[in-house]
Amino acid sequence: MENSLELAGITKAFGRTGVLADIDLAVQPGEFLSLVGPSGCGKSTLLRIIAGLEHQDAGQVRIAGRVVDRLSPRARNIAMVFQNYALYPHMSASENIALPLKVDRLSLAERLPLLRYLSPRRPRIERDIVEEVGKVAEALQIEPLLARKPGQLSGGQRQRVALARAMVRQPSLFLMDEPLSNLDAQLRVHMRDELTDLHRRLGATFIYVTHDQIEAMTMSSRIAMLDGGQLAQIGSPAELYERPASLVVARFIGSPAINILPARLDASGSVLVGNLPAGLVVPGRIAGPVSLGLRPEHVRLHAVCERPMPMATIRRSEHHGADRLLHLDLVEDRKAGLIVRIPQDDSGRYQPGETYGIGFAPEKAHLFDGDGMRMAVTGTAPARIGAAA
Amino acid sequence: MEAARISLSSGRWFRFVGAHAVLLIGAAFMLLPFLWMLLTAIRAPDEILTGGLNPIPRSFHAVENFTAAMQQAPLLRFMVNGVIICAGILVIQLLVAIPAAYALAKLRFPGRGLLFAAVIGGLCIPIQVPALPIYLALAEFGLLDSYFAMMVPFFLSVFAIFLFRQTFRGFPDEILQAARVDGLGEFEILWRIVVPSALPAIAAFSIFSIVAHWNDLYWPMIVIQRMDYAPPPLGMLFFANSETGASYGVLMAGATIITAPLVLVFLLARRRFVQGITMTGIK
C-alpha cells in the first residue's frame, strides 16, 4: 500500500463550470499511470487536486491508504514536475534542487538570513544536503550544470533540474504535468525514454498528465482517459487501443486517428454501411444511426470486388518510413475520407487516382451507438462486405 | 559621429538625429535650473543680480559660497534628517505594500476586487486631502515635531501596492505552486521567490519614494517647527529666512549640496529604474 493512490468521488467546479464529476481511480504502487484527454478535460485540475494545490468540492484523496484531504502539498509527500519546469529563477540549479530538503530539515528560523548562523546543527545538515544534491545530480548527469541559473540552461537541461528537484525528497508519488510538451520533438522522444527508465529505477508511483497520446501509449502501464470531466476509460495502452469504450477514446488514441464511417443499424440488427450490409450483427438494439470504427491498419483494399462494397479513390500517398499512409475519399460520399496504413513494400500497387473496394475483418471493427458508446458485436452475418479471403 | 560610426541608412540617420534633437531640447529644459543653481553657487554676490544671463562667471566665488553654506547652516543635520525620514518611510512602505500587492495579485479571497478598487481610488487622493485630520490627530497625541509625524502619512503607499501588484501578476503561477509543493509557506514564497525577481520594480519605486520625500516641503512644513528635525528643503527654507537674507550664492551652494545625494542615487540605480518602469508598463 505504500505508494498507492486512491481517488473516490472527486468532484470539482469553478464557479458554475463543472470541471470534474465523480472521479474514482485507484493507482497501484509503482504504477505509471497517464491521465490523458483533450485540453479542458480536467486532467490538470485532477493532478493539482492530488497535489493539494486545489481543493475538491466533494470526494476523497488517499495516498498510501491515508486520507490527505486536509493536508498541505508538503505533508502529502509528493513531488511535482511542471510543464514550464517552474524553477526558481534567481537560484542556481543546485539551490533549486536543495530547496525542498532545506524546507524539510531546517526550521524556519534556520532558513532566515542572519538568524540562521545561530543554529549549531545547520552546517552539518547543509553538508548532508549538498551531498544528496550531488547524488541526484549524478543520477541525472547534470553535475556540470549545478552552478548555473535556470536562464542559462536549455529546455532539456531545465527539465532535468526540475526532475532532480522532484527526486531529491524521495517522494512516494511523482506528479507530472505535461513535462515534455515544451521540448523539441527529438528531445521529447529521448526524455520519454529517460523518464521510463527513471520510473523503473525508482520504483515510485508516477501520475503523468499529457495531451499527447503517443507519450501515454509508450510510457504508461495504464492510461486513464478523461473527457468532459468524466473518466471515459481506464486500462492498459493495448486495451484502450484495441477495445476503446467510446467513440471519444477511439478517436483520441492512435495515430493516425481511427477511421469512423457513418453506418446504420436496421430492424433485424444488421449493420449497414451506405446500403450495403457490413457483415456485423447486433441483435436486440433499436434501429438507428451507428458509427463504424476501423483502425488504418485494419482496412483492406480490394482491387477486384466479388461482392458489392463501398468504393474509395486514393487522393494522396504519404511516405512514413516503414509504412505508407493512403488518404482515400469514399466514392459514394465525397466528404467522408479514410486513411489506410500499408507496408512500404506494397506502395507500388496503390497509386493516387485508383479506386478500390473497402473491406475489413469483422472482428477488427469497432461499433459505437448513437451516444458514442461501444456496442458489443455478437455475430457476423453471412453476407459480409469485403471480408478477408 | 555616433550615427556615422554605426553606419545607419540615411532615412534612419535623419530619424536618429531628429529624435535626439528633441530629446536634447527636453533635457536642456530639465537641466537648465540645475545648471543655473550651480552657476549661481560659484558666482560672487555682486554678480548674481547684475550679471544678466551671462553663463560664465567673471569671478569665481565657489569656495567662499560653499564654506559659508557649510558653516552657516546645519546642512549635515538636514541631510541626516532626510536620510532618516526617507529610509523610515521606504522600509515601512515596502514591508506593507509588498505583502498587500502579493495578496491582490496572486491569492484568491472574497473582496479582492473591491480592495483593489479601493487601491485605485486611493491613487486619486492627494496628501492635501487628509492633511488636516492627520495633523489634528498628531497634535492630539502630542506627536508633532517628530520624525514619526513626518513619516506616518506615507507609510501606506497605494502607488507601491499598485505598482507591485502589476509586477507580481506577471510572475508564473507554476513557480508558486512548485514552491508550495516544496513546502514553503506563503510569506517565504513571497520574500524568497517572488521579491528577488521583482527587484527592478522595487528599485524603481524606491527612487520614486526617496526623491519625493527628500524633496517634500509641504508636509514637513505643517508638522515641524524645530530646525533639529527639518529635512533638507525645510531646512533650506529656515536657513534662507534666518541667516542668509539675500545671499543667493550661499543659498544655491546649500541647495547644490542637498541635491547631490539624490542625483548620485539615481545615477547608481538608473538601469534598474528604467527596467522597473518598462517592465510594469507604467510610463
Side-chain angles (χ1 to χ4, degrees), chain A residues 63-174:
Chain A
I63 295 175
R66 184 171 64 131
V67 179
V68 296
D69 295 334
R70 292 181 175 280
L71 296 184
S72 67
R74 174 193 178 184
R76 294 182 183 202
N77 191 23
I78 48 149
M80 193 153 168
V81 179
F82 294 85
Q83 184 173 5
N84 299 306
Y85 325 124
L87 297 175
Y88 308 124
H90 60 283
M91 295 185 191
S92 69
S94 64
E95 286 169 324
N96 263 283
I97 302 169
L99 189 72
L101 292 182
K102 284 190 182 162
V103 176
D104 257 3
R105 296 178 193 174
L106 296 171
S107 69
L108 182 60
E110 284 169 327
R111 303 201 295 272
L112 288 178
L114 298 178
L115 208 55
R116 62 189 189 157
Y117 295 108
L118 297 176
S119 162
R121 62 183 197 123
R122 189 189 54 88
R124 184 170 42 83
I125 295 174
E126 287 196 341
R127 258 199 314 278
D128 290 350
I129 291 176
V130 168
E131 199 175 303
E132 282 170 57
V133 168
K135 271 187 206 151
V136 173
E138 194 187 338
L140 288 172
Q141 296 165 358
I142 51 171
E143 289 155 302
L145 311 175
L146 282 180
R148 292 201 207 162
K149 299 236 165 119
Q152 302 163 306
L153 299 172
S154 71
Q157 293 170 332
R158 281 182 215 181
Q159 189 54 268
R160 284 208 184 85
V161 174
L163 273 174
R165 186 175 66 181
M167 277 165 62
V168 77
R169 269 174 71 191
Q170 306 183 329
S172 50
L173 202 56
F174 280 85

Side-chain angles (χ1 to χ4, degrees), chain A residues 285-326:
Chain A
R285 300 288 293 246
I286 301 161
V290 295
S291 302
L292 179 70
L294 283 176
R295 296 279 176 204
E297 59 273 31
H298 294 149
V299 180
R300 304 269 164 77
L301 298 178
H302 295 265
V304 183
C305 303
E306 290 150 8
R307 282 174 299 279
M309 50 175 63
M311 304 299 287
T313 310
I314 298 177
R315 175 160 47 85
R316 195 151 57 89
S317 169
E318 276 175 6
H319 197 298
H320 278 254
D323 9 271
R324 185 169 275 276
L325 294 179
L326 303 175

Side-chain angles (χ1 to χ4, degrees), chain A residues 48 53-54 73-74 82-84 86-88 90-91 99-100 103 108 111 165 169, chain B residues 108 171 174-185 188 192-194 196-197:
Chain A
R48 285 208 297 276
L53 294 167
E54 297 273 0
R74 174 193 178 184
F82 294 85
Q83 184 173 5
N84 299 306
L87 297 175
Y88 308 124
H90 60 283
M91 295 185 191
L99 189 72
V103 176
L108 182 60
R111 303 201 295 272
R165 186 175 66 181
R169 269 174 71 191
Chain B
R108 271 179 286 173
F171 195 82
E174 265 195 358
I175 297 181
L176 303 181
Q177 291 174 353
R180 284 178 199 137
V181 171
D182 282 345
L184 293 179
E188 227 180 326
R192 288 187 63 161
I193 311 287
V194 181
S197 68

